[in-house]
């Protein structure tokens, strides 16, 4: 038997004992009055009816104190203490008066009655004082309960009242914040194990450990606790266990959950942003930077669409360079033409925007787009980063700030990657120059030195050979200078007529008896000077390898234009090598002319390939691939 049960039994037993004693004494007075005193039975019963009733009430109270479990042991003790104290007080007073009257030999019933009333009055006074204090305390408790109820109803923290039943934390009640956050109303949650209701399977072991610490009446706090809502969403909380040790309630304590999901997500985003910045600084190329940014942005923000649009100057479009999208959202984003779209506004002004409702923006590029809100961030003069969600108002200021930090890092990474790419390209060009200088210039230089010695010995014809070698060196140096210029960025793009540019180039080349034919023409966007240099090198190459008596034809194609001749053509085995720096089949050639052609095409974003012409000669095909041209 536990201590509380023993305490209740003892206290209730005292009351029961007193009730039984007084009941026996009162009941035994009835036969004594009838038999010994000759009092009529009905008078004896009438005299003792009220005392018998009170004694029976006392006996019943003792039974109730012993058997009624909702009464705490402390309450039983207080009731028994006051009852015994009152009984002893009356006994002492009446015993004292009765003893004195016996000693005096004078029995005064009226005095005993007066003293009994005095004791009853004092007991009533004590009960009245106690009751007034109790009522005042109850009013105070009611006020405090009202404050606590208001606090529980209005706090943003989720609070559950917990009682442990067989070591299991059972919910007795929950506050409105708990209902809103977890999605369970009080009727559904009451009576359930809080661990089984909201702890996901992967967190059950830790949840059980927290519950057992709370069961041990330990007050503590745990951070980054994962809990599951009624919809299956995982959220992060900070949980506090607040125990109650009073015996006046069966509640064991409160579990207070503070939702820190946004703080946790922001911390996670900062960590990913730091890791992304480190990775971006190690990217080797702009394409690597773009792919890293899309992957990282998807992980950091977890929205429906992420895309990087690069400005294509030739097409005058924002072209999707890389993207990641939910299967149901923009699975194939299209280039964005110049116009009044939000993306264009951001790109042209360089001012990033947070748009919470794209539908109401009159400048929305595509009113049928499923994107409801988005972050649009300018990447210097390079392009635009777009982060979109199908929902409106999906972004907050924290998302906007993180995205701007990310874009600043992207700009630095792109600048670094482009600088390194340019440096690598210059190094490659220097290597080609060094190869030409060390090989091709060395031969005419050696010839010039040899014939110069002969000329000094009196051979007059040797100086002509020296002059020829110097001319050859000058030609190589001119072509090297031209090749170096092609490595620089092209100038501004303008609308150029293909035929007019080809004819202007033809006039700058020693064409002999060769003819130029322009089959129709077309307009395209290009750097006119560089395009003319491209034609000059193609014409020179055709005349050098096909002879002076041939025709060179310039014609538009569906995807760009082509230049072909009526010469002998190029062997298929040589087509993959003709653009290599220094490669030539002509002993007097530099091997740089077609390399220059390829670099001018690449600078425009075009591709060039070689095929057979309609008359068997060489055909150079240029794929301009202009967006919207």
């Amino acid at each position: 038997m536990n201590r509380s049960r023993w305490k209740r039994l003892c206290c209730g037993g005292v009351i029961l004992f007193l009730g039984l004693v007084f009941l026996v004494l009162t009941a035994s007075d009835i036969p004594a009055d009838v038999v010994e005193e000759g009092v009529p039975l009905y008078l004896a019963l009438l005299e003792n009816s009220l005392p018998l009733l009170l004694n029976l009430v006392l006996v019943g109270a003792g039974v109730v104190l012993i058997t009624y479990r909702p009464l705490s042991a402390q309450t039983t003790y207080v009731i028994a203490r006051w009852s015994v104290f009152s009984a002893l007080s009356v006994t002492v007073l009446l015993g004292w008066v009765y003893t004195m009257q016996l000693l005096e030999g004078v029995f005064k019933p009226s005095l005993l009655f007066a003293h009994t009333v005095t004791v009853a009055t004092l007991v009533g006074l004590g009960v009245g004082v106690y009751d007034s204090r109790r009522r005042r305390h109850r009013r105070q408790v009611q006020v405090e309960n009202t404050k606590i109820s208001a606090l529980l109803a209005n706090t943003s923290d989720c609070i559950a009242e917990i009682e442990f039943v067989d070591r299991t934390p059972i919910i007795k009640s929950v506050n409105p914040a708990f209902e809103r956050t977890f999605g369970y109303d009080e009727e559904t949650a009451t009576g359930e194990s809080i661990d089984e209701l909201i702890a996901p399977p992967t967190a059950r072991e830790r949840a059980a450990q927290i519950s057992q610490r709370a069961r041990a009446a330990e007050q503590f706090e745990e951070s980054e606790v994962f809990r599951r809502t009624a919809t299956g969403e995982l959220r992060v909380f900070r949980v506090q266990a607040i125990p109650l040790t009073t015996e006046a309630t069966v509640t064991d304590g409160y579990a207070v959950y503070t939702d820190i999901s946004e703080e946790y997500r922001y911390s996670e985003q900062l960590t990913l942003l730091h890791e992304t910045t480190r990775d971006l600084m190690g990217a080797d190329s702009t394409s690597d930077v773009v792919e890293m940014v899309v992957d990282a942005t998807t992980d950091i923000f977890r929205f429906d669409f992420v895309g990087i649009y690069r400005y294509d100057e030739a097409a005058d479009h924002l072209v999707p360079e890389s993207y990641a999208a939910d299967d149901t959202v923009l699975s194939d984003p299209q280039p964005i033409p110049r116009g009044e779209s939000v993306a264009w506004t951001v790109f042209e002004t360089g001012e990033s925007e947070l748009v919470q409702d794209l539908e109401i923006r009159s400048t929305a590029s595509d009113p049928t787009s499923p994107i409801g809100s988005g972050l649009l961030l300018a990447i210097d003069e390079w392009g635009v980063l777009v982060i979109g969600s199908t929902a409106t108002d999906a972004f907050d200021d924290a998302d906007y700030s993180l995205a701007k930090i990310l874009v600043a890092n992207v700009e630095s990474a792109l600048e670094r990657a482009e600088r390194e790419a340019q440096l690598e390209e210059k190094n490659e060009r220097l290597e080609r120059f060094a190869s030409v200088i060390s090989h091709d210039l060395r031969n005419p230089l050696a010839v010039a030195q040899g014939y110069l010695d002969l000329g000094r010995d009196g051979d007059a014809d040797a100086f002509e050979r020296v002059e020829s070698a110097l001319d050859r060196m000058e030609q190589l140096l001119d072509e090297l200078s031209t090749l170096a210029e092609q490595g620089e960025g092209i100038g501004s793009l303008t609308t150029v007529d293909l035929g007019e540019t080809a004819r202007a180039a033809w006039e700058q080349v020693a064409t002999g008896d060769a003819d130029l034919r322009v089959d129709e023409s077309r307009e395209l966007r290009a750097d006119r000077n560089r395009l003319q240099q491209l034609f000059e090198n193609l014409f020179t190459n055709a005349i050098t390898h096909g002879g002076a008596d041939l025709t060179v034809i310039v014609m538009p194609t569906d995807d760009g234009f082509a230049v072909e001749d009526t010469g002998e053509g190029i062997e298929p085995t040589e087509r993959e090598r003709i653009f290599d720096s220094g490669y030539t089949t002509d002993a007097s050639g530099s091997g740089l002319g077609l390399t220059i052609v390829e670099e001018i095409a690449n600078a425009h974003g075009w591709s060039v390939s070689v095929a057979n012409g309609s008359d068997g000669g060489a055909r150079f095909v240029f794929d301009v691939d202009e967006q919207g041209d």
Side-chain angles (χ1 to χ4, degrees):
M1 184 181 297
N2 59 39
R3 183 177 178 183
S4 296
R5 177 63 176 163
W6 176 256
K7 193 174 184 178
R8 182 185 294 111
L9 182 60
C10 291
C11 295
V14 170
I15 303 300
L16 178 61
F17 174 75
L18 291 174
L20 290 173
V21 170
F22 296 149
L23 181 62
V24 170
L25 291 175
T26 304
S28 63
D29 185 58
I30 296 174
D33 285 347
V34 173
V35 176
E36 298 177 6
E37 302 295 333
V39 177
L41 178 60
Y42 74 92
L43 288 178
L45 291 174
L46 184 60
E47 174 191 357
N48 291 285
S49 59
L50 184 58
L52 284 172
L53 179 61
L54 295 177
N55 291 333
L56 287 173
V57 170
L58 197 58
V59 171
V63 173
V64 169
L65 292 178
I66 293 174
T67 60
Y68 190 57
R69 296 183 63 86
L71 284 177
S72 66
Q74 181 65 23
T75 301
T76 304
Y77 170 73
V78 171
I79 293 173
R81 184 182 65 183
W82 279 102
S83 299
V84 171
F85 176 75
S86 298
L88 289 176
S89 299
V90 174
T91 301
V92 169
L93 179 60
L94 293 182
W96 172 265
V97 173
Y98 187 69
T99 302
M100 291 296 103
Q101 287 184 0
L102 288 177
L103 292 176
E104 295 174 354
V106 180
F107 181 67
K108 303 174 182 177
S110 59
L111 188 59
L112 284 175
F113 178 78
H115 290 327
T116 302
V117 173
T118 300
V119 172
T121 303
L122 289 174
V123 171
L125 179 63
V127 171
V129 171
Y130 170 78
D131 185 59
S132 66
R133 294 180 60 186
R134 182 184 64 81
R135 290 175 181 274
R136 185 173 66 252
H137 175 70
R138 185 171 63 181
R139 287 194 297 270
Q140 292 175 345
V141 169
Q142 288 175 342
V143 171
E144 295 300 322
N145 287 340
T146 301
K147 293 179 180 178
I148 293 174
S149 297
L151 176 63
L152 292 177
N154 295 286
T155 182
S156 60
D157 288 338
C158 309
I159 302 177
E161 184 180 354
I162 301 298
E163 177 188 6
F164 283 93
V165 179
D166 297 329
R167 303 175 64 89
T168 302
I170 301 300
I171 299 174
K172 291 193 63 182
S173 66
V174 296
N175 72 332
F178 188 100
E179 295 178 323
R180 290 192 302 270
T181 301
F182 288 101
Y184 297 104
D185 58 36
E186 187 167 19
E187 183 178 354
T188 302
T190 300
E192 297 291 333
S193 166
I194 193 169
D195 291 345
E196 294 181 3
L197 185 68
I198 63 175
T202 55
R204 291 280 171 81
E205 183 177 351
R206 186 182 178 192
Q209 293 172 352
I210 292 173
S211 295
Q212 294 314 308
R213 288 180 63 187
R215 181 173 174 270
E218 179 182 351
Q219 183 168 351
F220 60 91
E221 180 180 299
E222 287 278 338
S223 297
E224 295 185 9
V225 174
F226 290 87
R227 292 295 182 264
R228 183 178 57 191
T229 67
T231 61
E233 178 189 7
L234 277 181
R235 300 188 69 81
V236 188
F237 295 87
R238 181 173 60 249
V239 61
Q240 299 179 70
I242 303 177
L244 291 179
T245 56
T246 176
E247 295 184 7
T249 176
V250 293
T251 299
D252 292 303
Y254 294 93
V256 181
Y257 291 89
T258 303
D259 193 346
I260 58 171
S261 300
E262 292 303 317
E263 299 171 21
Y264 183 83
R265 183 172 75 93
Y266 188 71
S267 175
E268 213 174 29
Q269 287 176 317
L270 285 177
T271 301
L272 288 171
L273 182 60
H274 174 74
E275 294 174 355
T276 300
T277 301
R278 182 187 59 208
D279 294 340
L280 285 175
M281 292 304 105
D284 296 327
S285 64
T286 56
S287 60
D288 288 343
V289 170
V290 169
E291 292 298 328
M292 285 183 184
V293 170
V294 170
D295 292 341
T297 305
T298 303
D299 292 337
I300 293 173
F301 294 98
R302 301 185 184 279
F303 286 110
D304 300 310
F305 175 80
V306 173
I308 289 188
Y309 291 77
R310 174 183 54 82
Y311 176 62
D312 186 339
E313 186 175 2
D316 198 29
H317 282 57
L318 287 171
V319 180
E321 188 78 0
S322 181
Y323 66 91
D326 184 273
D327 291 340
T328 60
V329 179
L330 287 181
S331 57
D332 187 20
Q334 299 300 309
I336 302 175
R338 178 181 290 275
E340 293 298 321
S341 69
V342 180
W344 264 109
T345 302
V346 167
F347 175 68
E348 289 183 334
T349 63
E351 297 292 334
S352 299
E353 286 195 41
L354 165 57
V355 183
Q356 295 289 22
D357 192 344
L358 283 166
E359 186 176 355
I360 64 175
R361 280 291 296 270
S362 60
T363 56
S365 60
D366 183 5
T368 65
S369 171
I371 299 297
S373 57
L375 292 171
L376 299 98
L377 303 112
I379 307 176
D380 202 11
E381 298 178 356
W382 195 90
V384 176
L385 170 64
V386 178
I387 306 171
S389 172
T390 55
T392 57
D393 297 314
F395 299 88
D396 55 28
D397 291 338
D399 293 324
Y400 193 24
S401 298
L402 285 174
K404 287 195 286 188
I405 294 173
L406 175 62
V407 164
N409 294 332
V410 170
E411 290 175 347
S412 298
L414 285 172
E415 182 181 352
R416 175 184 171 278
E418 290 176 348
R419 186 169 58 248
E420 290 191 355
Q422 292 172 358
L423 181 60
E424 182 178 355
E425 184 180 352
K426 288 181 179 179
N427 288 339
E428 291 176 356
R429 194 176 304 114
L430 285 174
E431 290 178 1
R432 294 199 298 270
F433 294 166
S435 174
V436 173
I437 291 172
S438 64
H439 182 268
D440 293 1
L441 287 180
R442 185 176 297 168
N443 292 333
L445 181 61
V447 169
Q449 288 176 338
Y451 281 103
L452 183 60
D453 291 339
L454 292 176
R456 287 172 177 167
D457 292 338
D459 186 351
D461 294 335
F463 287 109
E464 293 183 4
R465 297 293 185 91
V466 171
E467 184 179 4
S468 176
L470 292 175
D471 290 342
R472 173 61 176 157
M473 292 173 64
E474 184 178 6
Q475 176 193 3
L476 287 172
L477 290 172
D478 287 343
E479 292 188 344
L480 281 172
S481 176
T482 301
L483 182 62
E485 290 178 1
Q486 311 319 313
E488 304 297 329
I490 61 174
S492 60
L493 300 180
T494 58
T495 301
V496 195
D497 185 274
L498 184 71
E500 290 181 2
T501 307
R503 294 186 187 95
W506 186 261
E507 295 176 359
Q508 302 300 319
V509 178
T511 57
D513 296 328
D515 294 321
L516 172 67
R517 191 176 84 209
V518 178
D519 290 352
E520 299 182 5
S521 185
R522 66 167 291 179
E523 292 183 344
L524 68 159
R525 291 182 62 80
D527 181 332
R528 190 181 190 285
N529 291 333
R530 294 293 172 85
L531 180 59
Q532 181 173 327
Q533 289 173 344
L534 180 146
F535 280 131
E536 290 175 6
N537 280 275
L538 285 175
F539 297 158
T540 300
N541 180 77
I543 293 169
T544 299
H545 294 280
D549 188 15
L550 85 164
T551 300
V552 178
I553 307 163
V554 177
M555 64 189 73
T557 65
D558 291 340
D559 298 319
F561 64 93
V563 178
E564 68 174 58
D565 59 58
T566 58
E568 297 180 358
I570 302 172
E571 293 295 329
T573 56
E574 297 179 355
R575 290 175 186 173
E576 295 182 359
R577 303 176 56 197
I578 61 172
F579 294 110
D580 292 347
S581 177
Y583 176 77
T584 181
T585 57
D586 185 353
S588 63
S590 66
L592 298 177
L594 293 181
T595 301
I596 293 172
V597 168
E598 184 181 47
E599 294 215 6
I600 293 176
N602 290 341
H604 281 82
W606 305 339
S607 61
V608 56
S609 58
V610 183
N612 285 329
S614 56
D615 293 327
R619 177 181 173 89
F620 293 86
V621 181
F622 295 86
D623 185 359
V624 173
D625 190 27
E626 286 193 303
Q627 303 284 348
D629 183 61

